Each structure stands twice: as structure tokens, then as C-alpha cells.
């Protein structure tokens, strides 16, 4: 049973920064996969625009190489790849000057869906937005796509929002958080709002606490300079973890529409309590068995930037009052695990004699690897000898449950780009959401800067600093294992 692919309307997609890393690793390989699936119309066009003085053939060759390297394209795809490349054009452009804009204006059609992907430094967003208008390229229905980092604090995020809002309406702006495009993240909404089972239990009467973990094994690699100015809080918590928290905690929207969903997420962010300093643990990885330390990777021997963060948050509303949300994310950790675990409360009383163990139902939603969910339930241990209880997972790994269809799980970028073409903003962040997230994050960062907080070191390849374990131990809880 193959999944149904609904072709999108024809479009012109201009990728500013078309020769950059994101375009070569994610955007264009993603578009190629949509092409292979039959979703991309034969007359749709992709126009790479960047500073390099390439010609069309040179650009096509560059993208062909990128797709072969990053796109998982097989040899058998060669004919399709050649066809896909025919839909690809290139034009050199100067974002800060006038060169190249007339040529671009001559290339972009005004009577089809127009999307402009700003895969460039945020400092160029305003220039691009302005020139798209002054050269009469953009229309009232064009869409622009922007990437994180969307500011580094509330003030810069507001300035960025304004630089876009001066030229485009909010309904035209698509701010990508690629976590929202992940299959399991969307499944989280399907599970919550498509089943009768969970909603009655989804509150402080039944939920003991929630853990959100995004652990990576990679270090900061070649992105040291960017990362050292950001740290885990700006790079991961303010956006990806915050979005996961919103989807887990939000009230049911009246329908699965862009503003309905985003209104509910915004309410969660605004209801977040300020986090006290003793509920935040910052860490920085030290050299481990198989790699260097953070300071070496970031080429900053005196860096105090965190590559790990764990924190305990609270949401001030009726549903969640008193329920801790523990967030943790880090680089160079023991294993690559992203999951959300909803840990339900203990039974108040056990009817089984001699059963002193704490049995808990846990719903774990695994984003990666092995996308899927498992629900820990308590059952009788098989065999004679009375009622001994054990906890077992009811495991649903999508790859097993869905068979061939699991192979059709689209990558986050592919899905999100197609949503842009379809004009569906549900999985994109609205400007006010981004600002609210910074408004919550800013005082925490300012707090540790004012205290000259020094991150705790942790060994590369470990589960993070000891203090992160203590954060939960103090509350009589423990982190879930980082097992794959
Ligand atoms: C990016 C961060 O947004 O997300 C990276 O900037 C991080 O630092 C990445 O590695 C993680 O994404 P994924 O999809 O691999 O979990």
C-alpha cells in the first residue's frame, strides 16, 4: 500500500543562497525526492540565486553532485535526476546591491505560486524583502520562507519581524522550524486529538511529569563560530524544544488550521513560568574517548557557552499547574535520542499483595531514531506463582507497524516546502510565537550572564553533567535512559 501523493499547483521557487549548505544538503535533495514521488508539476521551476558567478550548466552540475551526495539518489535515478535538473535555473544576484535583480524579474512568473526561500544570513532578510518589491517581482500572494536563527533575543527578533512585515503580510511569511515537519511530531497531534484514550488523562490529575529530550551524538563540528555565539538555549530550546512543549501542552484547537493551532501554542508559551536559576543546568562537553572537547571544537579556549542544557519548567494554567516539564538537550551525548515521555502518576493503591514496586504508565513518543511510540503498561508476569506484576512496553515502531508505507515518511524539509507551495502555514511559526519564546528565554540567559555562570563539564559520549541527574533526583524522579 503506497501512500497517496497529491501533486501541488505549479510554482516558481527562488532559493536565495542557492549554492549554500542548506540548499545543497536539504532543500534541493528534498525537492528531488518530491519530484520522484510525482508531486512536483512538470512545469514548476526552481531558480537558484546567489552571489557566485555560475552559469546554468555549472549550477546544475553543482546540484547534481549535491543530490548524489546528500539526497540518497540511486544510480537508477539518473534519468529522473536529469529531468529534475531541467527544471532548475540559476541567476547571480547581489542581495545588497542592484545587480541581478532585473534578470530575476524576467525569470519569475507572476501568474503561478511564487515562493522565495531566504536561505541566507538573517541580516539580509530586509534587503531581499525590499528588493523583491522595488523590482516588482513579488505579488500579493507570494510566499517567503525564512530559517532560524530568527534573532538572538527579543529585540533582534522584533527587528527581523519588522523587516519582513514592512514588505509582506504575516500570511505570506513561513518561518521554518524543521522539528514541526518531522513525521512523529505531527503524529503527536494525531495521537492527542485523534483518540479518545488520552485526552481525559492529559492533565495534572493523571500526569506526574513530562520529559522532553533531544540528545545528539555529534559535536559542534564545523559550526563552532555560529554555535559559540548561540549555545544550546538559543540553538535548540528557544525553538525546537519549545515547539515540542507547545504541542504536548496546548489545548485542543477548534480545528487543525494555521491560526487555531498557533493561537493555542502561543498561549502555552505565554503561560510559561520564569525558570529559577537552580532549575537550570548548563553543561559543556569535555574531551571523551572518541573526540575533542567543546572548546577545541568551537576554537574558543575560554568559551562559557553551553552545549548541554537541562531545565525544569512549569506552565501556569489549570491543566498543568504543578506538573514539571523537564527539558534536556545536548551535543556529544551517549546516543542520539529525541523523545517526549509523558509519565503518568502511580496508582494510589495496589490490590496485589506483595506488590510494592511503583508501576507507572509512560507514553513515550520517539522522534528519532526508530520513530514510533510506546506505552508502558503493567501486566502479570507469565507463569505460576501468584500475581507478580511487571512493566512492559506496548511498542509501535512505525517501520514495523506501517510496513512499506513507513518508507514513504517524508523528510521534514520536503514536507514543509510542499506546505509552502500549498499555502498551509500550520507547521510554521508565527511572528508573535517567536517573540513570545524569546521573551521567555531572554531573562534566563541574562540571568546566567549576570551571574557569570560557568557551565558544568561532562565527558563527551556521556549522559551530560551530574547536576542534570540531580535536577530530577531532588524531585524523587529520574531521567529516562538514553538508549536507542
Ligand atoms: C538545528 C540545530 O536546528 O537542529 C543543530 O541548529 C542541531 O545544532 C539540529 O544539530 C538537530 O536537528 P535534527 O533534525 O538532526 O534533530
Amino acid at each position: 500500500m503506497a501512500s497517496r501523493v497529491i501533486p501541488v499547483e505549479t510554482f516558481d521557487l527562488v532559493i536565495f543562497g542557492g549554492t549554500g549548505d542548506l540548499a545543497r544538503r536539504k532543500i534541493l535533495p528534498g525537492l528531488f525526492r518530491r519530484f520522484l514521488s510525482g508531486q512536483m508539476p512538470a512545469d514548476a521551476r526552481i531558480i537558484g540565486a546567489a552571489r557566485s558567478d555560475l552559469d546554468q550548466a555549472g549550477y546544475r552540475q553543482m546540484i547534481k553532485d549535491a543530490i548524489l551526495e546528500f539526497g540518497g539518489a540511486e544510480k537508477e535515478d539518473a534519468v529522473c535526476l536529469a529531468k529534475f535538473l531541467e527544471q532548475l535555473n540559476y541567476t547571480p544576484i547581489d542581495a545588497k546591491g542592484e545587480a541581478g535583480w532585473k534578470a530575476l524579474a524576467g525569470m519569475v512568473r507572476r501568474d503561478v505560486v511564487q515562493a522565495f526561500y531566504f536561505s541566507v544570513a538573517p541580516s539580509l532578510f530586509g534587503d531581499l524583502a525590499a528588493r523583491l518589491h522595488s523590482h516588482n517581482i513579488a505579488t500579493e500572494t507570494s510566499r517567503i520562507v525564512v530559517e532560524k536563527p530568527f534573532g538572538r533575543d527579543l529585540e533582534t527578533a522584533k527587528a527581523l519581524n519588522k523587516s519582513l512585515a514592512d514588505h509582506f503580510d504575516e500570511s505570506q511569511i513561513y518561518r521554518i522550524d524543521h522539528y514541526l515537519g518531522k513525521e512523529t511530531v505531527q503524529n503527536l497531534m494525531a495521537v492527542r486529538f485523534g483518540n479518545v484514550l488520552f485526552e481525559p488523562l492529559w492533565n495534572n490529575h493523571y500526569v506526574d511529569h513530562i520529559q522532553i529530550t533531544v540528545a545528539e551524538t555529534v559535536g559542534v563540528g564545523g559550526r563552532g563560530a555560529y554555535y559559540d555565539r548561540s549555545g544550546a538555549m538559543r540553538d535548540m530550546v528557544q525553538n525546537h524544544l519549545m515547539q515540542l512543549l507547545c504541542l504536548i501542552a496546548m489545548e485542543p484547537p477548534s480545528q487543525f488550521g494555521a491560526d487555531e493551532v498557533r493561537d493555542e501554542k502561543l498561549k502555552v508559551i505565554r503561560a510559561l513560568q520564569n525558570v529559577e536559576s537552580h532549575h537550570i543546568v548548563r553543561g559543556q562537553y569535555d574531551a571523551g574517548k572518541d573526540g575533542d572537547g567543546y572548546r577545541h571544537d568551537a576554537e574558543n579556549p575560554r568559551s562559557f557557552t553551553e552545549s548541554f542544557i537541562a531545565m525544569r519548567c512549569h506552565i501556569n494554567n489549570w491543566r498543568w499547574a504543578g506538573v514539571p516539564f523537564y527539558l534536556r538537550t545536548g551535543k556529544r551525548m551517549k546516543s542520539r535520542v529525541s523523545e517526549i515521555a509523558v509519565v503518568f502518576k502511580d496508582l494510589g493503591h495496589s490490590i496485589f499483595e506483595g506488590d510494592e514496586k511503583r508501576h507507572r504508565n509512560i507514553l513515550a513518543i520517539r522522534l528519532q531514531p526508530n520513530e514510533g511510540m510506546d506505552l508502558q503498561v503493567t501486566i502479570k508476569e507469565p507463569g505460576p506463582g501468584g500475581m507478580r506484576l511487571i512493566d512492559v512496553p506496548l511498542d509501535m515502531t512505525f517501520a514495523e507497524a506501517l510496513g512499506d508505507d513507513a518508507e514513504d515518511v517524508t523528510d521534514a524539509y520536503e514536507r514543509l516546502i510542499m506546505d509552502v507551495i500549498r499555502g498551509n502555514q500550520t507547521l510554521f511559526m508565527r511572528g508573535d510565537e517567536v517573540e513570545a519564546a524569546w521573551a521567555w528565554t531572554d531573562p534566563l540567559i541574562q540571568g546566567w550572564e549576570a551571574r557569570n555562570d560557568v557551565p558544568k563539564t561532562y565527558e563527551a559520549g556521556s549522559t551530560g553533567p551530574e547536576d542534570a541527574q540531580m535536577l530530577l533526583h531532588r524531585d524523587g524522579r529520574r531521567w529516562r535512559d538514553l538508549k536507542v
Side-chain angles (χ1 to χ4, degrees):
M1 184 178 60
S3 61
R4 281 167 299 144
V5 171
I6 304 168
V8 292
E9 247 181 272
T10 195
F11 61 85
D12 277 0
L13 167 66
V14 179
I15 308 173
F16 292 108
T19 55
D21 211 47
L22 185 71
R24 288 183 304 113
R25 278 175 188 270
K26 293 282 181 188
I27 305 173
L28 284 148
L31 282 160
F32 177 55
R33 284 191 293 273
R34 292 295 84 210
F35 174 88
L36 284 180
S37 76
Q39 201 167 26
M40 202 170 125
D43 58 346
R45 291 188 321 198
I46 302 163
I47 302 163
R51 261 180 315 194
S52 315
D53 205 11
L54 283 172
D55 60 11
Q56 185 120 303
Y59 187 60
R60 287 183 178 172
Q61 185 61 46
M62 171 192 270
I63 299 308
K64 180 179 175 186
D65 294 344
I67 290 174
L68 290 172
E69 185 176 353
F70 306 114
E74 309 285 339
K75 283 217 179 67
E76 311 77 84
D77 295 334
V79 176
C80 293
L81 184 52
K83 278 213 169 102
F84 171 75
L85 293 172
E86 280 170 22
Q87 294 182 239
L88 191 66
N89 305 280
Y90 181 78
T91 190
I93 205 136
D94 179 6
K96 285 198 157 303
E98 298 309 315
W101 287 90
K102 218 167 151 204
L104 182 65
M107 289 168 96
V108 182
R109 293 172 291 180
R110 291 178 65 85
D111 56 349
V112 298
V113 172
Q114 283 186 345
F116 301 97
Y117 202 128
F118 292 5
S119 180
V120 295
S123 55
L124 297 176
F125 289 178
D127 292 299
L128 292 177
R131 288 198 166 79
L132 282 172
H133 278 284
S134 63
H135 290 272
N136 205 19
I137 301 172
T139 68
E140 279 185 357
T141 56
S142 337
R143 290 143 208 183
I144 56 168
V145 186
V146 292
E147 279 281 335
K148 71 182 263 273
F150 205 82
R152 52 178 283 106
D153 52 22
L154 179 58
E155 198 185 323
T156 48
K158 276 187 172 165
L160 269 185
N161 272 339
K162 182 168 180 321
S163 70
L164 297 177
D166 283 346
H167 307 281
F168 292 92
D169 186 70
E170 182 62 34
S171 63
Q172 298 178 278
I173 304 172
Y174 291 71
R175 295 177 193 79
I176 288 201
D177 182 312
H178 78 280
Y179 265 60
L180 289 179
K182 288 187 190 272
E183 184 70 17
T184 322
V185 173
Q186 292 168 74
N187 236 316
L188 171 59
M189 288 185 273
V191 166
R192 275 198 69 189
F193 304 128
N195 292 284
V196 73
L197 278 185
F198 300 109
E199 185 52 27
L201 308 178
W202 215 259
N203 55 51
N204 57 4
H205 298 294
Y206 294 101
V207 175
D208 178 76
H209 72 278
I210 291 179
Q211 299 187 13
I212 303 179
T213 297
V214 179
E216 299 181 276
T217 48
V218 292
V220 292
R223 301 161 72 227
Y226 150 78
Y227 193 91
D228 204 43
R229 277 178 39 77
S230 302
M233 186 68 160
R234 289 189 173 99
D235 186 52
M236 296 293 288
V237 178
Q238 187 271 347
N239 35 74
H240 305 324
L241 276 84
M242 178 73 73
Q243 290 296 326
L244 299 180
L245 174 83
C246 285
L247 297 178
I248 270 282
M250 72 184 185
E251 294 302 313
S254 60
Q255 57 174 325
F256 192 59
D259 277 329
E260 288 83 353
V261 170
R262 297 183 301 174
D263 285 348
E264 294 306 334
K265 288 198 293 166
L266 180 61
K267 286 186 210 160
V268 174
I269 305 175
R270 290 194 172 146
L272 274 167
Q273 230 175 57
N274 195 10
V275 184
E276 293 178 45
S277 58
H278 61 281
H279 288 151
I280 305 180
V281 178
R282 297 170 66 238
Q284 193 182 71
Y285 64 85
D286 220 344
K289 286 186 290 296
D290 48 325
D292 293 311
Y294 172 84
R295 289 177 174 190
H296 173 274
D297 289 353
E299 294 178 26
N300 180 358
R302 277 186 291 279
S303 173
F304 288 141
T305 301
E306 77 285 354
S307 59
F308 172 97
I309 195 158
M311 58 204 299
R312 179 178 127 173
C313 312
H314 281 273
I315 298 172
N316 284 334
N317 63 21
W318 274 25
R319 188 188 283 267
W320 296 117
V323 178
F325 285 72
Y326 297 101
L327 315 185
R328 77 177 151 165
T329 181
K331 300 230 178 257
R332 294 290 278 123
M333 296 188 62
K334 186 175 151 198
S335 40
R336 179 172 186 244
V337 174
S338 296
E339 69 156 33
I340 304 169
V342 180
V343 182
F344 292 93
K345 290 189 173 171
D346 299 350
L347 280 178
H349 165 74
S350 174
I351 64 166
F352 303 106
E353 200 182 330
D355 176 42
E356 272 140 30
K357 193 173 169 277
R358 249 175 163 192
H359 297 286
R360 287 195 153 168
N361 296 122
I362 301 175
L363 176 68
I365 300 144
R366 292 188 305 271
L367 272 55
Q368 57 203 20
N370 309 332
E371 299 191 326
M373 293 188 311
D374 69 56
L375 178 63
Q376 181 175 294
V377 290
T378 303
I379 60 163
K380 176 187 170 298
E381 197 178 305
M387 287 292 262
R388 286 188 309 273
L389 303 186
I390 50 166
D391 297 326
V392 293
L394 281 181
D395 189 359
M396 196 185 96
T397 300
F398 293 157
E400 284 166 21
L402 302 178
D404 288 350
D405 273 0
E407 286 171 20
D408 291 337
V409 169
T410 33
D411 166 85
Y413 273 92
E414 298 169 53
R415 163 174 298 115
L416 294 174
I417 296 170
M418 287 300 120
D419 276 358
V420 172
I421 306 298
R422 278 189 284 254
N424 183 349
Q425 288 185 303
T426 312
L427 299 176
F428 296 83
M429 293 180 297
R430 210 167 52 192
D432 50 3
E433 256 184 274
V434 175
E435 290 182 14
W438 281 120
W440 177 75
T441 316
D442 276 2
L444 311 183
I445 297 176
Q446 285 154 6
W448 72 60
E449 283 176 354
R451 292 193 301 278
N452 290 324
D453 183 76
V454 179
K456 307 277 184 282
T457 50
Y458 61 98
E459 193 188 339
S462 71
T463 54
E466 191 52 35
D467 289 42
Q469 308 300 329
M470 290 310 297
L471 182 71
L472 267 74
H473 287 179
R474 282 202 304 260
D475 296 345
R477 303 185 174 104
R478 52 192 297 260
W479 289 107
R480 283 165 57 79
D481 286 346
L482 285 181
K483 59 173 185 259
V484 183

